[in-house]
């Protein structure tokens, strides 16, 4: 391969924050975080196949997505039983039947990829390796994204992967984020509920109560100081109370 092509690939990896998982134990923990099921598993960014190998051992159908043709060719040769898609994970067309999603997400596109997944209807659970701080933040709540999706998704931090288990070694540890579906509000409420959360987060005010009053014209009592302090399930109760 020419130095020009190699440098272009390396630059793209740096821009996306792509770090390969090299620790088999960590890969096994991610695969075992999945609920046992006969449904297929979609692996995003299969890379060198460390996680692919563990997913194949589960005995479930595996669909691997890998952009780099070099790694895609190696995956195809090593795992002929895996259905391989050579494309950008951001453009992959997910199955329209129940499936799980697993992936070591490039740190540079973690939020965009997560947002896209949350808007898709057919996956049942997702186990994602992301920056540890991002996984911790999602599991703890406190962000607009968490509040907007709380009625339909549960976020949990189920493990940590030290930076030394990646190549190249990133500046931060990884976190294993497990996302499962739930139903605290009917699906038909989604647009109105998410608009409500967005309006509150963007409203002026020095406190959550003041922001709600400015966003909706309604008063709410017994609230924590700021939107980030309101737990995800409490957003649902607040919405129901103000919409009743």
């Amino acid at each position: 391969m020419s130095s020009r092509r190699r440098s272009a690939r390396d630059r793209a990896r740096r821009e996306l924050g792509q770090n390969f998982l090299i620790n088999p134990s960590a890969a096994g923990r991610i695969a075992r975080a999945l609920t046992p099921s006969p449904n297929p598993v979609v692996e995003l960014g299969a890379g060198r196949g460390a996680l692919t190998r563990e997913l194949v051992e589960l005995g479930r159908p595996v669909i691997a997505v890998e952009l780099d043709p070099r790694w895609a060719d190696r995956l195809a040769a090593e795992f002929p039983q895996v259905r391989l898609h050579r494309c950008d994970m951001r453009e992959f067309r997910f199955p329209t039947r129940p499936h799980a999603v697993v992936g070591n997400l490039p740190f540079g596109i973690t939020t965009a990829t997560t947002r896209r997944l949350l808007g898709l209807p057919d996956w049942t659970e997702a186990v994602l390796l992301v920056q540890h701080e991002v996984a911790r933040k999602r599991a703890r709540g406190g962000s607009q994204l968490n509040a907007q999706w709380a009625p339909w998704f549960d976020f949990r931090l189920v493990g940590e992967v030290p930076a030394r288990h990646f190549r190249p070694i990133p500046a931060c540890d990884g976190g294993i984020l497990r996302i499962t579906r739930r139903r605290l509000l009917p699906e038909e409420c989604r647009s109105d509920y998410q608009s409500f959360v967005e309006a509150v987060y963007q409203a002026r005010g020095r406190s959550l109560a003041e922001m709600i009053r400015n966003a909706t014209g309604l008063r709410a009592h017994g609230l924590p100081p700021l939107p980030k302090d309101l737990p995800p399930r409490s957003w649902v109760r607040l919405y129901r109370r103000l919409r009743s």
Side-chain angles (χ1 to χ4, degrees), residues 81-108:
Q81 70 273 54
V82 170
R83 183 179 170 186
L84 184 65
H85 288 259
R86 295 175 173 86
C87 68
D88 190 318
M89 68 177 71
R90 294 170 292 186
E91 300 173 358
F92 174 68
R93 300 181 70 175
F94 286 81
T96 55
R97 62 190 178 107
H99 62 279
V101 178
V102 173
N104 172 18
L105 300 187
F107 288 177

Side-chain angles (χ1 to χ4, degrees), residues 5 81 83 122 158 170 173 216 236:
R5 289 179 61 191
Q81 70 273 54
R83 183 179 170 186
D122 296 303
V158 297
D173 294 335
T216 67
V236 176

Side-chain angles (χ1 to χ4, degrees), residues 113-130:
T113 303
T114 304
R115 285 184 181 276
R116 184 187 177 210
L117 278 175
L118 296 178
L120 296 174
D122 296 303
W123 58 272
T124 56
E125 64 176 330
V127 179
L128 308 175
L129 180 54
V130 300

Side-chain angles (χ1 to χ4, degrees), residues 105-116 131 134 138 145:
L105 300 187
F107 288 177
I109 59 172
T110 295
T111 299
T113 303
T114 304
R115 285 184 181 276
R116 184 187 177 210
Q131 303 100 311
V134 171
R138 291 285 168 262
L145 184 147

Side-chain angles (χ1 to χ4, degrees), residues 224-241:
L226 296 171
K228 67 180 181 63
D229 302 315
L230 190 65
R233 286 178 177 266
S234 297
W235 277 101
V236 176
R237 291 193 290 269
L238 177 65
Y239 171 79
R240 284 174 168 159
R241 185 171 59 182

Side-chain angles (χ1 to χ4, degrees), residues 8-200:
R9 173 185 284 123
D10 292 342
R11 184 169 57 253
R13 291 195 186 286
R14 286 194 300 271
E15 290 172 354
L16 292 177
Q18 187 171 22
N19 303 91
F20 294 111
L21 181 64
I22 63 168
N23 184 273
S25 177
R29 287 163 58 205
I30 295 169
R32 291 190 297 273
L34 289 168
T35 303
S37 168
N39 292 334
V41 180
V42 173
E43 182 190 0
L44 301 176
R48 297 177 177 178
L51 185 50
T52 313
R53 188 171 295 105
E54 299 295 331
L55 295 175
V56 167
E57 289 296 320
L58 296 178
R60 299 172 63 168
V62 178
I63 303 168
V65 181
E66 175 54 44
L67 174 62
D68 191 314
R70 179 179 60 169
W71 296 117
D73 288 344
R74 292 188 182 185
L75 289 165
E78 186 174 355
F79 306 105
Q81 70 273 54
V82 170
R83 183 179 170 186
L84 184 65
H85 288 259
R86 295 175 173 86
C87 68
D88 190 318
M89 68 177 71
R90 294 170 292 186
E91 300 173 358
F92 174 68
R93 300 181 70 175
F94 286 81
T96 55
R97 62 190 178 107
H99 62 279
V101 178
V102 173
N104 172 18
L105 300 187
F107 288 177
I109 59 172
T110 295
T111 299
T113 303
T114 304
R115 285 184 181 276
R116 184 187 177 210
L117 278 175
L118 296 178
L120 296 174
D122 296 303
W123 58 272
T124 56
E125 64 176 330
V127 179
L128 308 175
L129 180 54
V130 300
Q131 303 100 311
H132 184 265
E133 178 58 27
V134 171
R136 190 173 69 86
K137 181 179 178 180
R138 291 285 168 262
R140 185 184 62 220
S143 71
Q144 182 177 328
L145 184 147
N146 280 81
Q148 286 184 302
W149 290 101
W152 300 281
F153 295 98
D154 179 58
F155 301 84
R156 293 187 184 273
L157 175 63
V158 297
E160 183 175 355
V161 180
R164 66 178 182 276
H165 291 168
F166 297 89
R167 289 296 182 275
I169 298 176
C172 59
D173 294 335
I176 304 172
L177 178 67
R178 184 168 183 264
I179 309 174
T180 53
R181 293 185 182 270
R182 63 186 177 191
R183 189 180 177 86
L184 303 182
L185 283 175
E187 190 66 31
E188 54 267 27
C189 293
R190 178 179 291 187
S191 178
D192 183 63
Y193 170 82
Q194 292 186 334
S195 295
F196 161 73
V197 173
E198 181 179 10
V200 172

